[in-house]
Amino acid sequence: MSNKQDKPSGDPHIILPASRVGFLTRLRNYFLTGLVVAAPIGITIYLTSWFVELVDYWFLPLIPAAYQPERYIPFSIPGLGLLIALVVLTLLGALTANFFGRQLLVWGERLVDRMPVVRSIYGALKQIFETVVSQSNTSFREAALIEYPRRGLYALVFITTSTKGEVAEKAPTDDDLVSVFLPTTPNPTSGFLLFVPRKDIYPLEMSIEDAAKLIISAGLVSPPTEEVKKLPKKDAGKANGTEVNPSEDT
C-alpha cells in the first residue's frame, strides 16, 4: 500500500531516450552540412546563369536574324552572347589601337563634349574605368582599419591610393593622406570615399577576398589568423569555429 502511495501519479516532463536525441541531432547536422554545401553552389550557378542570360540579351540581337542559331537547331546556345561580347570588345580594342581608330574616338568624344549632361556622365565613367584598368595591379589590394565614425570605433576599409591633386594640397593637414573606400554592409559595392592620414590607418594581413566576406556576412564569417592557417585543416576548422561535423551529438 505504501509503495503505491510513494509512486508518483504522473510526470509532466517527457524524457526522450538518449539514442533518439542523438538521432535528431545528427539529422540537424546533416541538414546544416547540406545547406553549407548546396547554398554556395546554387547561388553561384544562379548568378552565373543570370549574368550569361543578361549578356545574351544584349548581344544576341547583333547577329542577323538569318544567322540566329535557333533557325537551324531546336534549342538555344547559352553563352553565345557572352562569346560575341568578348569578340566585339576585342575588335573594338584593336580598332582604337591604330591611328584611324584613335582619330574616330577623338571625333566621337568631341561630339559628346557638346552635350551638357551626357559629357559629364561619360567623362566620369571614362575616368573611373581608365583608373581601374591602369591600376588593376595596385588598387584595392590591401584591407585596413580606421577609427570611424569616431575615436574608439573601428571600420574596415580598402586602401586605394595616395591622395593627389587639389584634395591633398588644400586639406588642412600636414600629414600624408591616403584615399580609402569604406564599404557598407551587406552590400560592399556601395560606401564612402574617405581621405585619411596615413598614420591613422592600421593595415591588416587578411586578403581583399577575406575582408569582403567579413563585410558581406556582417562579421559572421571571420577569416582565420596566420596562426590558424598553419594548423592542419581539421584543427584549423575547430580553432576558427567553422567546422561542421554531421556525426557530432550534442
Side-chain angles (χ1 to χ4, degrees), residues 142-148 153-159 180 196 198-204 206 214:
E142 189 175 6
L145 289 177
I146 64 170
E147 291 189 275
Y148 182 90
L153 299 182
Y154 296 89
L156 190 62
V157 298
F158 297 130
I159 298 177
V180 301
V196 184
R198 189 179 298 274
K199 64 181 181 63
D200 294 332
I201 297 177
Y202 308 96
L204 300 174
M206 69 175 65
L214 184 62

Side-chain angles (χ1 to χ4, degrees), residues 50-162:
W50 171 81
F51 177 76
V52 171
E53 290 178 358
L54 180 64
V55 177
D56 286 349
Y57 177 77
W58 285 347
F59 286 90
L60 278 181
L62 297 178
I63 303 178
Y67 299 98
Q68 289 286 343
E70 288 80 2
R71 293 176 59 91
Y72 307 99
I73 55 179
F75 56 88
S76 60
I77 303 177
L80 182 60
L82 182 60
L83 179 62
I84 296 175
L86 294 176
V87 173
V88 170
L89 293 177
T90 303
L91 292 177
L92 182 61
L95 176 63
T96 55
N98 57 49
F99 177 79
F100 174 76
R102 288 195 297 269
Q103 294 301 317
L104 185 63
L105 181 61
V106 170
W107 178 82
E109 289 183 343
R110 289 178 180 175
L111 181 63
V112 173
D113 286 339
R114 299 178 182 178
M115 305 177 185
V117 178
V118 177
R119 67 185 179 189
S120 300
I121 299 175
Y122 173 77
L125 292 176
K126 180 182 178 182
Q127 186 174 7
I128 291 173
F129 277 93
E130 286 180 346
T131 303
V132 171
V133 172
S134 62
Q135 299 183 359
S136 59
N137 294 328
T138 57
S139 297
F140 291 89
R141 290 296 180 181
E142 189 175 6
L145 289 177
I146 64 170
E147 291 189 275
Y148 182 90
R150 64 169 176 81
R151 293 288 179 180
L153 299 182
Y154 296 89
L156 190 62
V157 298
F158 297 130
I159 298 177
T160 56
T161 183
S162 297

